């Protein structure tokens, strides 16, 4: 059965276009002045659905602890906040916990096309820049261990974060990259030279640039400078807390089509201040800011994707048209999925958002199905 969205102001790769959209079997079949009845959007704005390639959860659950039903609640929360493509992020934990959660996610993904893959954030990370990662579960990089995880995930791991200075890291990065999985560099004390070696081995991205990594010094450039100076993609948490708004603006100006906006959201996203957990670690949220309880270590965010898009517009003083790629086509390109999602075009999946004139989210469509 076909769905027709009429009289929409559609953001296409060539700018805004007033047209109708014909959706059939989950994809955009046609766009234009279509002689078919449908839902009249009365000029409301339609944009591509948003990606979030780095998010641990929301609405009371996280991917390191949730069962299948709770994961579905997380995914519905994402959809209500503009996400149509997600890399569910599993972080450093007990080995058996990582494997269990990867297995559950692989089954949930079969029913929910919002899940485009899994981001494995760890356990091959630096103790010095572990952030909220539990120290006792960090591991030395091992391709054999990665293969164990990927088997549990039924091949769904699409992105893995590794600290490039660790023993065997360059070899493991090369082998993972050759297997078709994207490698991101982060939670790291790496030098500039170590980082460049990892990039030459195949690493494609940087995990939450500037956060949980050695900062830039003008005498000893580090992984953080490599994130700006190389042609790799770079994640940026756009809550205005992890990065000063002017830093977000600078990253966007320097990286352009290689910046990927993320939320790095926790189970507390969408919920009030209070006490929560992240993979079992106690978290405290004050004034919407999440910290490991009793420390000065920030643990992730309470941000939603649609808020993040509005933040990018505000921080960078960009229009919607200038801002959209950070949450859509850029991550799709990085992950090799730009032929399927990331823009509103004929032949691509009908992952769409309908916004009002103040960019408030009205409706979400995933593979042509209206979610809210």
């Amino acid at each position: 059965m076909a769905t027709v969205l009429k009289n929409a102001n559609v953001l296409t790769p060539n700018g805004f276009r007033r047209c109708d959209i014909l959706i059939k079997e989950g994809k955009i079949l046609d766009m234009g002045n279509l002689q078919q009845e449908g839902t009249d959007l009365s000029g409301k704005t339609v944009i591509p659905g948003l990606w979030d390639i780095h998010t641990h959860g929301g609405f009371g659950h996280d991917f390191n602890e949730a069962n299948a039903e709770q994961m579905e609640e997380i995914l519905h929360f994402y959809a209500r906040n503009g996400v149509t493509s997600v890399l569910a992020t599993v972080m450093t934990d007990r080995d058996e916990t990582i494997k269990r959660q990867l297995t559950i996610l692989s089954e949930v993904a079969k029913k929910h096309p919002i899940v485009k893959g899994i981001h494995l954030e760890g356990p091959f990370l630096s103790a010095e820049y572990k952030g909220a990662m539990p120290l006792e579960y960090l591991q030395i990089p091992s391709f054999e261990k990665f293969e164990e995880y990927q088997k549990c995930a039924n091949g769904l791991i699409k992105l893995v974060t590794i600290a490039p200075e660790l023993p065997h890291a360059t070899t493991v990065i090369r082998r993972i990259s050759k297997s078709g999985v994207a490698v991101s560099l982060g939670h790291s004390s790496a030098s500039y030279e170590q980082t460049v070696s990892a990039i030459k081995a195949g690493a494609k991205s940087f995990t939450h640039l500037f956060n949980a990594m050695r900062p830039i010094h003008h005498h000893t450039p580090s992984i953080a400078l490599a994130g700006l100076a190389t042609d790799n993609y770079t994640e940026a948490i756009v809550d205005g807390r992890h990065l000063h708004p002017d830093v977000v603006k600078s990253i966007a100006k320097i990286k352009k089509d290689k910046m990927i906006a993320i939320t790095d959201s926790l189970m507390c996203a969408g919920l009030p201040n209070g006490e929560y957990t992240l993979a079992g670690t106690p978290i405290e949220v004050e004034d919407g800011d999440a910290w490991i309880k009793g420390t000065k270590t920030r643990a992730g965010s309470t941000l939603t994707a649609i808020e993040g898009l509005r933040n990018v517009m505000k921080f960078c003083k960009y229009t919607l048209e200038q801002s959209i790629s950070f949450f859509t086509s850029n991550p799709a390109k990085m992950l090799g999925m730009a032929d399927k999602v990331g823009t509103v075009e004929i032949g691509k999946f009908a992952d769409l958002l309908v916004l009002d004139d103040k960019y408030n989210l009205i409706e979400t469509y995933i593979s042509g199905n209206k979610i809210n």
Side-chain angles (χ1 to χ4, degrees), residues 8-17 43-51 81-82 252 256 259 261 305-330 342-344 352-362:
N9 189 30
V10 183
L11 180 53
T12 75
N14 298 315
F16 279 101
R17 177 186 176 191
K44 292 184 176 64
T45 298
V46 172
I47 66 172
L50 308 182
W51 276 81
N81 286 280
K256 299 182 173 64
M259 184 181 105
I306 194 68
E307 290 171 341
L309 176 62
R310 290 193 289 262
N311 282 350
V312 169
M313 294 172 65
K314 180 171 66 175
F315 298 164
C316 301
K317 295 180 172 59
Y318 283 176
T319 63
L320 176 62
E321 191 173 352
Q322 291 171 310
S323 304
I324 193 67
S325 63
F326 300 125
F327 267 111
T328 56
S329 57
N330 292 358
T343 54
V344 183
L352 310 169
L353 305 182
V354 180
L355 310 179
D356 66 15
D357 57 359
K358 294 183 179 179
Y359 305 129
N360 295 308
L361 180 61
I362 300 172

Side-chain angles (χ1 to χ4, degrees), residues 19 30 60 103 114 146 162 214 278 292 363 372:
C19 65
D30 200 2
T103 301
I114 186 175
F146 169 76
I162 296 178
R214 178 179 291 178
L278 171 61
I292 295 178
E363 296 174 347
N372 60 336

Side-chain angles (χ1 to χ4, degrees), residues 55-59 61-63 74 77-78 89 265-269:
T55 169
H56 298 276
F59 209 59
H61 306 294
D62 79 56
F63 290 115
I74 297 172
F77 169 75
Y78 290 154
T89 305
S265 67
L266 310 180
M267 66 158 57
C268 43

Side-chain angles (χ1 to χ4, degrees), residues 215-262:
I216 295 173
H217 188 280
H218 58 288
H219 289 155
T220 53
S222 67
I223 180 173
L225 182 63
L228 293 177
T230 64
D231 197 38
N232 272 36
Y233 289 90
T234 56
E235 295 178 1
I237 306 174
V238 292
D239 62 347
R241 302 177 189 269
H242 284 79
L243 298 171
H244 188 281
D246 285 337
V247 174
V248 174
K249 182 178 180 180
S250 297
I251 295 172
K253 185 176 182 179
I254 293 168
K255 300 300 294 187
K256 299 182 173 64
D257 62 352
K258 292 298 179 70
M259 184 181 105
I260 297 174
I262 61 167

Side-chain angles (χ1 to χ4, degrees), residues 65-262:
E65 296 183 316
N67 59 32
E69 182 178 348
Q70 292 166 338
M71 287 183 184
E72 291 180 342
E73 291 179 18
I74 297 172
L75 299 178
H76 191 62
F77 169 75
Y78 290 154
R80 295 198 312 271
N81 286 280
V83 175
T84 60
S85 295
V86 67
L87 293 190
T89 305
V90 175
M91 62 177 276
T92 304
D93 209 323
R94 296 177 180 85
D95 210 46
E96 59 269 25
T97 300
I98 292 175
K99 292 179 177 180
R100 181 192 70 215
Q101 297 308 105
L102 292 174
T103 301
I104 298 171
L105 265 169
S106 70
E107 291 301 313
V108 170
K110 293 176 182 178
K111 298 186 294 181
H112 297 278
I114 186 175
V115 182
K116 300 300 192 292
I118 294 171
H119 178 176
L120 184 63
E121 189 183 13
F124 312 134
L125 307 176
S126 161
E128 186 177 358
Y129 287 94
K130 65 182 183 62
M133 301 289 163
L135 177 64
E136 63 269 31
Y137 301 130
L138 297 176
Q139 299 182 37
I140 297 298
S142 162
F143 184 70
E144 290 69 29
K145 178 61 67 176
F146 169 76
E147 285 187 309
E148 291 179 23
Y149 294 145
Q150 187 68 295
K151 184 177 180 180
C152 292
N154 196 28
L156 200 63
I157 298 173
K158 302 298 182 184
L159 180 66
V160 57
T161 295
I162 296 178
E165 74 276 16
L166 296 180
H168 317 304
T170 302
T171 299
V172 173
I173 289 167
R174 182 176 292 109
R175 294 185 70 183
I176 292 176
S177 298
K178 285 183 177 179
S179 77
V181 174
V183 175
S184 190
L185 307 176
H187 285 276
S188 169
S189 62
S191 67
Y192 187 90
E193 292 75 16
Q194 288 170 320
T195 307
V196 170
S197 293
I199 293 171
K200 289 179 179 178
K204 295 179 69 173
S205 184
F206 287 84
T207 296
H208 43 51
L209 187 65
F210 293 119
N211 295 119
M213 62 175 58
R214 178 179 291 178
I216 295 173
H217 188 280
H218 58 288
H219 289 155
T220 53
S222 67
I223 180 173
L225 182 63
L228 293 177
T230 64
D231 197 38
N232 272 36
Y233 289 90
T234 56
E235 295 178 1
I237 306 174
V238 292
D239 62 347
R241 302 177 189 269
H242 284 79
L243 298 171
H244 188 281
D246 285 337
V247 174
V248 174
K249 182 178 180 180
S250 297
I251 295 172
K253 185 176 182 179
I254 293 168
K255 300 300 294 187
K256 299 182 173 64
D257 62 352
K258 292 298 179 70
M259 184 181 105
I260 297 174
I262 61 167

